[in-house]
Amino acid sequence: DSGVTQTPKHLITATGQRVTLRCSPRSGDLSVYWYQQSLDQGLQFLIQYYNGEERAKGNILERFSAQQFPDLHSELNLSSLELGDSALYFCASSLGGGRTDTQYFGPGTRLTVL
Amino acid sequence: GQNIDQPTEMTATEGAIVQINCTYQTSGFNGLFWYQQHAGEAPTFLSYNVLDGLEEKGRFSSFLSRSKGYSYLLLKELQMKDSASYLCAPRNQAGTALIFGKGTTLSVSS
């Protein structure tokens, strides 16, 4: 158990809908990262927040957005969902935003878009 | 650009030693991580190398050569529970996010 929690564990929805995934980092960690893992793509970095501020952006679609709240939990919002958005979404956290920080991953949310 | 190359699949038997190679090209370099991931589960941290050489941690060791853009993960005394995907993840100089390859799926048989 990494100490990172994610809810829900599974989510099934229809195309065109909007969902929110939630992540709570390990106690004391200030950075939160979101990754998407689909079968053919491997783990892809989406976005990072550090202490409430956006720190880095990866391959995140405009239909997706995220935020980190004052209590440091984070939410990833996915809208206008398409079949291709079906994937495992992982949140990871690290102590700071430093380049040597180890990232610890949560159990993931499996999103299925029908 | 960024590119990570690992073998797609490897097989080995219990008790054996296996070496999983990774070559990478990144825009700058800020260390390399290895993670283990069982199917459908979260990646779990195994090792981190930022300087050249070997880092040993129990049954697992990781090696880095920055000049060659090369790393390997060495697993000794293989156990059935080591059957998993192993992800090589260098970090580029610009950011703090990890760049993951597609991973190597290791199957350990008895």
Side-chain angles (χ1 to χ4, degrees), chain B residues 13 15 17 55 57 63 67 69 71 73 75 80 86 91 105:
Chain B
T13 53
I17 299 173
E55 294 278 342
K57 207 190 254 189
F63 172 83
S67 62
S71 175
L73 182 69
L75 294 78
M80 298 290 281
Y86 291 86
R91 176 177 270 161
T105 300

Side-chain angles (χ1 to χ4, degrees), chain B residues 7-19:
Chain B
T8 305
E9 293 180 348
M10 296 182 74
T11 59
T13 53
E14 269 188 304
I17 299 173
V18 71
Q19 178 175 312

Side-chain angles (χ1 to χ4, degrees), chain B residues 58-90:
Chain B
R59 294 189 299 114
F60 293 3
S61 303
S62 56
F63 172 83
L64 176 67
S65 168
R66 289 172 296 170
S67 62
K68 294 182 180 175
Y70 168 69
S71 175
Y72 69 71
L73 182 69
L74 193 71
L75 294 78
K76 302 175 192 172
E77 300 167 18
L78 281 172
Q79 303 173 9
M80 298 290 281
K81 67 178 182 180
D82 297 329
S83 293
S85 283
Y86 291 86
L87 309 174
C88 167

Side-chain angles (χ1 to χ4, degrees), chain A residues 35 37 41-44 105, chain B residues 2-8 19-26 29 31-37 43-49 62-65 68-75 84-92 97-105:
Chain A
Y35 291 87
Q37 187 174 39
Q41 289 292 328
L43 269 164
Q44 298 282 314
F105 284 76
Chain B
Q2 296 170 149
N3 189 51
I4 298 154
D5 196 28
Q6 299 178 238
T8 305
Q19 178 175 312
I20 301 175
N21 296 322
C22 170
T23 56
Y24 62 88
Q25 290 175 309
T26 57
F29 180 78
L32 186 142
F33 292 78
W34 283 94
Y35 282 82
Q36 179 193 60
Q37 186 179 25
T44 54
F45 169 72
L46 291 178
S47 69
Y48 171 65
N49 295 68
S62 56
F63 172 83
L64 176 67
S65 168
K68 294 182 180 175
Y70 168 69
S71 175
Y72 69 71
L73 182 69
L74 193 71
L75 294 78
S85 283
Y86 291 86
L87 309 174
C88 167
R91 176 177 270 161
N92 66 26
L98 298 174
I99 309 151
F100 284 92
K102 291 190 179 179
T104 298
T105 300

Side-chain angles (χ1 to χ4, degrees), chain A residues 57-94:
Chain A
K57 243 179 180 174
N59 300 321
I60 189 165
L61 299 171
E62 283 191 17
R63 300 184 285 110
F64 296 0
S65 64
Q67 53 184 324
Q68 186 179 29
F69 294 86
D71 68 351
L72 300 177
H73 91 270
S74 177
E75 292 181 357
L76 179 68
N77 300 298
L78 315 176
S79 61
S80 303
L81 284 168
E82 301 175 359
L83 295 177
D85 298 327
S86 295
L88 263 171
Y89 290 84
F90 287 104
C91 164
S93 74
S94 69

